[in-house]
Amino acid sequence: ALKEGISQVLPIRRILVKNDVMAALKSGLTRPYGIVVVSGTGINAGGISREGREYVMPGVGRISGDWGGGVDISAEMIRVIVRAWDGRGDQTILSGMVLDALKTQSIPDLITKIYHNEISFQSILTIVPLLFEASKQGDAVACRIISAVGEEVGVTARALIRKLDLEDSACEVILPGSIFKGEGTLLIETITKNINEEFPAMEIKRPSHEPVVGSLWLALEEMGVQRTNAVLHNMERTMPGELVIKYRS
């Protein structure tokens, strides 16, 4: 239906409609098959088998069993600083960082403003990078949250490896999305350990290009263009700089 609708609006001779998870996968994949776990505002995942069979998880949040995107992480950050305030949880430097970032005077003030929708959804999402900053400073609470995200990404990737019969393949697990751009090494190390304990041949990697570049690869493949060094070189030579990802250590 979507393909039909597009063809009626745009004068395009050939239309390919894919879930954006497939574009994210192609942004980092160097083989015809592999796994992707995307974590940005939300989290989703999918992959391609050696035979070309594609699978994408529903990816609609908690009702489809998902956890680990920016919405979940920011909510967990709020939860732990409230518990640190009332004595149910460990103290964390996240408390002051979050209060400052959301321009609130105290934890009760924060609770009240969130409850009355005085702090926007978008504003709450902006606190996620603070988690990685706190982790780099050695905050145990922040480290626990990042480790939990890493374990969940690993569980998701391993489930897909089995579902797509890639257990005996040396394939790539691609990790696109803003969450994987966070500072520090704990998240990627946790994911790598979780996956490689069961599947030691898997290569865990973050893509060097934004997912929109994966859309271009999908279009080129649909046209029969192969991923050669010459094509890759030409693409990189003409690519806008903002599409190249530079990760912070």
Side-chain angles (χ1 to χ4, degrees), residues 212-233:
V212 68
V213 177
S215 299
L216 178 56
W217 278 119
L218 287 170
L220 290 172
E221 288 172 3
E222 180 71 6
M223 294 167 61
V225 177
Q226 294 186 349
R227 188 185 287 238
T228 63
N229 287 335
V231 172
L232 183 59
H233 174 73

PDB file of all heavy atoms in Angstrom, residues 212-233:
ATOM      1  N   VAL A 212      21.268   6.790   6.806  1.00  0.00           N
ATOM      2  CA  VAL A 212      20.794   7.205   5.485  1.00  0.00           C
ATOM      3  C   VAL A 212      21.715   6.696   4.379  1.00  0.00           C
ATOM      4  O   VAL A 212      21.268   6.440   3.255  1.00  0.00           O
ATOM      5  CB  VAL A 212      20.650   8.754   5.422  1.00  0.00           C
ATOM      6  CG1 VAL A 212      22.012   9.433   5.492  1.00  0.00           C
ATOM      7  CG2 VAL A 212      19.901   9.167   4.173  1.00  0.00           C
ATOM      8  N   VAL A 213      22.981   6.494   4.701  1.00  0.00           N
ATOM      9  CA  VAL A 213      23.915   5.932   3.718  1.00  0.00           C
ATOM     10  C   VAL A 213      23.533   4.481   3.415  1.00  0.00           C
ATOM     11  O   VAL A 213      23.691   4.011   2.294  1.00  0.00           O
ATOM     12  CB  VAL A 213      25.366   6.034   4.227  1.00  0.00           C
ATOM     13  CG1 VAL A 213      26.345   5.376   3.253  1.00  0.00           C
ATOM     14  CG2 VAL A 213      25.743   7.499   4.446  1.00  0.00           C
ATOM     15  N   GLY A 214      22.980   3.794   4.413  1.00  0.00           N
ATOM     16  CA  GLY A 214      22.485   2.438   4.189  1.00  0.00           C
ATOM     17  C   GLY A 214      21.331   2.415   3.205  1.00  0.00           C
ATOM     18  O   GLY A 214      21.183   1.476   2.416  1.00  0.00           O
ATOM     19  N   SER A 215      20.506   3.472   3.225  1.00  0.00           N
ATOM     20  CA  SER A 215      19.409   3.578   2.254  1.00  0.00           C
ATOM     21  C   SER A 215      19.955   3.671   0.841  1.00  0.00           C
ATOM     22  O   SER A 215      19.397   3.101  -0.106  1.00  0.00           O
ATOM     23  CB  SER A 215      18.549   4.817   2.555  1.00  0.00           C
ATOM     24  OG  SER A 215      17.970   4.722   3.830  1.00  0.00           O
ATOM     25  N   LEU A 216      21.053   4.393   0.686  1.00  0.00           N
ATOM     26  CA  LEU A 216      21.686   4.499  -0.631  1.00  0.00           C
ATOM     27  C   LEU A 216      22.205   3.142  -1.091  1.00  0.00           C
ATOM     28  O   LEU A 216      22.031   2.768  -2.256  1.00  0.00           O
ATOM     29  CB  LEU A 216      22.825   5.517  -0.572  1.00  0.00           C
ATOM     30  CG  LEU A 216      23.630   5.722  -1.871  1.00  0.00           C
ATOM     31  CD1 LEU A 216      22.719   6.105  -3.028  1.00  0.00           C
ATOM     32  CD2 LEU A 216      24.699   6.786  -1.649  1.00  0.00           C
ATOM     33  N   TRP A 217      22.806   2.399  -0.157  1.00  0.00           N
ATOM     34  CA  TRP A 217      23.274   1.054  -0.521  1.00  0.00           C
ATOM     35  C   TRP A 217      22.115   0.152  -0.943  1.00  0.00           C
ATOM     36  O   TRP A 217      22.236  -0.621  -1.901  1.00  0.00           O
ATOM     37  CB  TRP A 217      24.019   0.425   0.659  1.00  0.00           C
ATOM     38  CG  TRP A 217      25.445   0.833   0.797  1.00  0.00           C
ATOM     39  CD1 TRP A 217      26.021   1.474   1.853  1.00  0.00           C
ATOM     40  CD2 TRP A 217      26.496   0.647  -0.164  1.00  0.00           C
ATOM     41  NE1 TRP A 217      27.356   1.703   1.616  1.00  0.00           N
ATOM     42  CE2 TRP A 217      27.677   1.191   0.388  1.00  0.00           C
ATOM     43  CE3 TRP A 217      26.550   0.062  -1.425  1.00  0.00           C
ATOM     44  CZ2 TRP A 217      28.904   1.180  -0.275  1.00  0.00           C
ATOM     45  CZ3 TRP A 217      27.771   0.047  -2.098  1.00  0.00           C
ATOM     46  CH2 TRP A 217      28.930   0.602  -1.530  1.00  0.00           C
ATOM     47  N   LEU A 218      20.989   0.250  -0.249  1.00  0.00           N
ATOM     48  CA  LEU A 218      19.815  -0.542  -0.617  1.00  0.00           C
ATOM     49  C   LEU A 218      19.361  -0.205  -2.041  1.00  0.00           C
ATOM     50  O   LEU A 218      19.022  -1.095  -2.828  1.00  0.00           O
ATOM     51  CB  LEU A 218      18.670  -0.304   0.370  1.00  0.00           C
ATOM     52  CG  LEU A 218      18.811  -0.929   1.752  1.00  0.00           C
ATOM     53  CD1 LEU A 218      17.730  -0.404   2.692  1.00  0.00           C
ATOM     54  CD2 LEU A 218      18.738  -2.456   1.674  1.00  0.00           C
ATOM     55  N   ALA A 219      19.354   1.097  -2.361  1.00  0.00           N
ATOM     56  CA  ALA A 219      18.944   1.524  -3.696  1.00  0.00           C
ATOM     57  C   ALA A 219      19.914   1.026  -4.752  1.00  0.00           C
ATOM     58  O   ALA A 219      19.509   0.539  -5.823  1.00  0.00           O
ATOM     59  CB  ALA A 219      18.844   3.044  -3.741  1.00  0.00           C
ATOM     60  N   LEU A 220      21.217   1.115  -4.457  1.00  0.00           N
ATOM     61  CA  LEU A 220      22.227   0.648  -5.418  1.00  0.00           C
ATOM     62  C   LEU A 220      22.118  -0.853  -5.647  1.00  0.00           C
ATOM     63  O   LEU A 220      22.219  -1.343  -6.781  1.00  0.00           O
ATOM     64  CB  LEU A 220      23.633   1.014  -4.912  1.00  0.00           C
ATOM     65  CG  LEU A 220      23.983   2.505  -4.938  1.00  0.00           C
ATOM     66  CD1 LEU A 220      25.314   2.742  -4.229  1.00  0.00           C
ATOM     67  CD2 LEU A 220      24.044   3.016  -6.373  1.00  0.00           C
ATOM     68  N   GLU A 221      21.900  -1.610  -4.568  1.00  0.00           N
ATOM     69  CA  GLU A 221      21.761  -3.065  -4.688  1.00  0.00           C
ATOM     70  C   GLU A 221      20.528  -3.425  -5.514  1.00  0.00           C
ATOM     71  O   GLU A 221      20.549  -4.366  -6.312  1.00  0.00           O
ATOM     72  CB  GLU A 221      21.676  -3.703  -3.299  1.00  0.00           C
ATOM     73  CG  GLU A 221      22.990  -3.684  -2.547  1.00  0.00           C
ATOM     74  CD  GLU A 221      22.846  -4.146  -1.119  1.00  0.00           C
ATOM     75  OE1 GLU A 221      21.721  -4.545  -0.718  1.00  0.00           O
ATOM     76  OE2 GLU A 221      23.842  -4.113  -0.375  1.00  0.00           O
ATOM     77  N   GLU A 222      19.439  -2.667  -5.318  1.00  0.00           N
ATOM     78  CA  GLU A 222      18.217  -2.905  -6.091  1.00  0.00           C
ATOM     79  C   GLU A 222      18.468  -2.683  -7.584  1.00  0.00           C
ATOM     80  O   GLU A 222      17.851  -3.336  -8.433  1.00  0.00           O
ATOM     81  CB  GLU A 222      17.117  -1.964  -5.586  1.00  0.00           C
ATOM     82  CG  GLU A 222      15.782  -2.093  -6.307  1.00  0.00           C
ATOM     83  CD  GLU A 222      15.033  -3.382  -5.980  1.00  0.00           C
ATOM     84  OE1 GLU A 222      15.494  -4.146  -5.101  1.00  0.00           O
ATOM     85  OE2 GLU A 222      13.989  -3.630  -6.593  1.00  0.00           O
ATOM     86  N   MET A 223      19.398  -1.798  -7.899  1.00  0.00           N
ATOM     87  CA  MET A 223      19.739  -1.510  -9.296  1.00  0.00           C
ATOM     88  C   MET A 223      20.812  -2.460  -9.842  1.00  0.00           C
ATOM     89  O   MET A 223      21.220  -2.349 -10.994  1.00  0.00           O
ATOM     90  CB  MET A 223      20.239  -0.063  -9.415  1.00  0.00           C
ATOM     91  CG  MET A 223      19.173   0.978  -9.124  1.00  0.00           C
ATOM     92  SD  MET A 223      19.896   2.630  -8.895  1.00  0.00           S
ATOM     93  CE  MET A 223      20.662   2.872 -10.503  1.00  0.00           C
ATOM     94  N   GLY A 224      21.276  -3.374  -8.991  1.00  0.00           N
ATOM     95  CA  GLY A 224      22.269  -4.340  -9.441  1.00  0.00           C
ATOM     96  C   GLY A 224      23.711  -3.892  -9.287  1.00  0.00           C
ATOM     97  O   GLY A 224      24.630  -4.543  -9.788  1.00  0.00           O
ATOM     98  N   VAL A 225      23.930  -2.775  -8.590  1.00  0.00           N
ATOM     99  CA  VAL A 225      25.295  -2.280  -8.374  1.00  0.00           C
ATOM    100  C   VAL A 225      25.928  -3.055  -7.219  1.00  0.00           C
ATOM    101  O   VAL A 225      25.353  -3.153  -6.140  1.00  0.00           O
ATOM    102  CB  VAL A 225      25.292  -0.772  -8.047  1.00  0.00           C
ATOM    103  CG1 VAL A 225      26.713  -0.287  -7.750  1.00  0.00           C
ATOM    104  CG2 VAL A 225      24.673   0.013  -9.197  1.00  0.00           C
ATOM    105  N   GLN A 226      27.120  -3.589  -7.448  1.00  0.00           N
ATOM    106  CA  GLN A 226      27.802  -4.362  -6.419  1.00  0.00           C
ATOM    107  C   GLN A 226      28.653  -3.450  -5.540  1.00  0.00           C
ATOM    108  O   GLN A 226      29.140  -2.405  -5.979  1.00  0.00           O
ATOM    109  CB  GLN A 226      28.676  -5.439  -7.057  1.00  0.00           C
ATOM    110  CG  GLN A 226      27.869  -6.501  -7.793  1.00  0.00           C
ATOM    111  CD  GLN A 226      28.741  -7.632  -8.301  1.00  0.00           C
ATOM    112  OE1 GLN A 226      29.959  -7.541  -8.290  1.00  0.00           O
ATOM    113  NE2 GLN A 226      28.114  -8.705  -8.753  1.00  0.00           N
ATOM    114  N   ARG A 227      28.865  -3.875  -4.314  1.00  0.00           N
ATOM    115  CA  ARG A 227      29.644  -3.092  -3.349  1.00  0.00           C
ATOM    116  C   ARG A 227      31.138  -3.341  -3.569  1.00  0.00           C
ATOM    117  O   ARG A 227      31.774  -4.126  -2.876  1.00  0.00           O
ATOM    118  CB  ARG A 227      29.257  -3.465  -1.929  1.00  0.00           C
ATOM    119  CG  ARG A 227      29.864  -2.563  -0.850  1.00  0.00           C
ATOM    120  CD  ARG A 227      29.543  -3.074   0.529  1.00  0.00           C
ATOM    121  NE  ARG A 227      28.164  -2.847   0.884  1.00  0.00           N
ATOM    122  CZ  ARG A 227      27.765  -2.146   1.949  1.00  0.00           C
ATOM    123  NH1 ARG A 227      28.642  -1.599   2.749  1.00  0.00           N
ATOM    124  NH2 ARG A 227      26.488  -1.994   2.207  1.00  0.00           N
ATOM    125  N   THR A 228      31.706  -2.674  -4.540  1.00  0.00           N
ATOM    126  CA  THR A 228      33.127  -2.807  -4.839  1.00  0.00           C
ATOM    127  C   THR A 228      33.906  -1.670  -4.170  1.00  0.00           C
ATOM    128  O   THR A 228      33.329  -0.674  -3.727  1.00  0.00           O
ATOM    129  CB  THR A 228      33.382  -2.756  -6.354  1.00  0.00           C
ATOM    130  OG1 THR A 228      32.983  -1.463  -6.833  1.00  0.00           O
ATOM    131  CG2 THR A 228      32.577  -3.827  -7.077  1.00  0.00           C
ATOM    132  N   ASN A 229      35.219  -1.816  -4.128  1.00  0.00           N
ATOM    133  CA  ASN A 229      36.058  -0.761  -3.553  1.00  0.00           C
ATOM    134  C   ASN A 229      35.910   0.543  -4.333  1.00  0.00           C
ATOM    135  O   ASN A 229      35.955   1.631  -3.753  1.00  0.00           O
ATOM    136  CB  ASN A 229      37.521  -1.200  -3.537  1.00  0.00           C
ATOM    137  CG  ASN A 229      37.776  -2.259  -2.482  1.00  0.00           C
ATOM    138  OD1 ASN A 229      37.058  -2.353  -1.491  1.00  0.00           O
ATOM    139  ND2 ASN A 229      38.792  -3.078  -2.695  1.00  0.00           N
ATOM    140  N   ALA A 230      35.746   0.430  -5.654  1.00  0.00           N
ATOM    141  CA  ALA A 230      35.608   1.625  -6.496  1.00  0.00           C
ATOM    142  C   ALA A 230      34.325   2.388  -6.156  1.00  0.00           C
ATOM    143  O   ALA A 230      34.328   3.619  -6.042  1.00  0.00           O
ATOM    144  CB  ALA A 230      35.614   1.232  -7.970  1.00  0.00           C
ATOM    145  N   VAL A 231      33.221   1.648  -5.988  1.00  0.00           N
ATOM    146  CA  VAL A 231      31.939   2.273  -5.636  1.00  0.00           C
ATOM    147  C   VAL A 231      32.046   2.911  -4.253  1.00  0.00           C
ATOM    148  O   VAL A 231      31.594   4.041  -4.032  1.00  0.00           O
ATOM    149  CB  VAL A 231      30.793   1.239  -5.674  1.00  0.00           C
ATOM    150  CG1 VAL A 231      29.510   1.845  -5.130  1.00  0.00           C
ATOM    151  CG2 VAL A 231      30.576   0.730  -7.091  1.00  0.00           C
ATOM    152  N   LEU A 232      32.648   2.182  -3.313  1.00  0.00           N
ATOM    153  CA  LEU A 232      32.808   2.687  -1.955  1.00  0.00           C
ATOM    154  C   LEU A 232      33.663   3.956  -1.942  1.00  0.00           C
ATOM    155  O   LEU A 232      33.329   4.941  -1.271  1.00  0.00           O
ATOM    156  CB  LEU A 232      33.439   1.611  -1.071  1.00  0.00           C
ATOM    157  CG  LEU A 232      33.620   1.943   0.408  1.00  0.00           C
ATOM    158  CD1 LEU A 232      32.284   2.266   1.060  1.00  0.00           C
ATOM    159  CD2 LEU A 232      34.298   0.803   1.132  1.00  0.00           C
ATOM    160  N   HIS A 233      34.750   3.950  -2.694  1.00  0.00           N
ATOM    161  CA  HIS A 233      35.634   5.109  -2.757  1.00  0.00           C
ATOM    162  C   HIS A 233      34.901   6.320  -3.337  1.00  0.00           C
ATOM    163  O   HIS A 233      35.006   7.435  -2.816  1.00  0.00           O
ATOM    164  CB  HIS A 233      36.864   4.789  -3.612  1.00  0.00           C
ATOM    165  CG  HIS A 233      37.749   5.972  -3.848  1.00  0.00           C
ATOM    166  ND1 HIS A 233      38.549   6.517  -2.865  1.00  0.00           N
ATOM    167  CD2 HIS A 233      37.938   6.735  -4.967  1.00  0.00           C
ATOM    168  CE1 HIS A 233      39.197   7.558  -3.357  1.00  0.00           C
ATOM    169  NE2 HIS A 233      38.850   7.713  -4.624  1.00  0.00           N
TER     170      HIS A 233
END
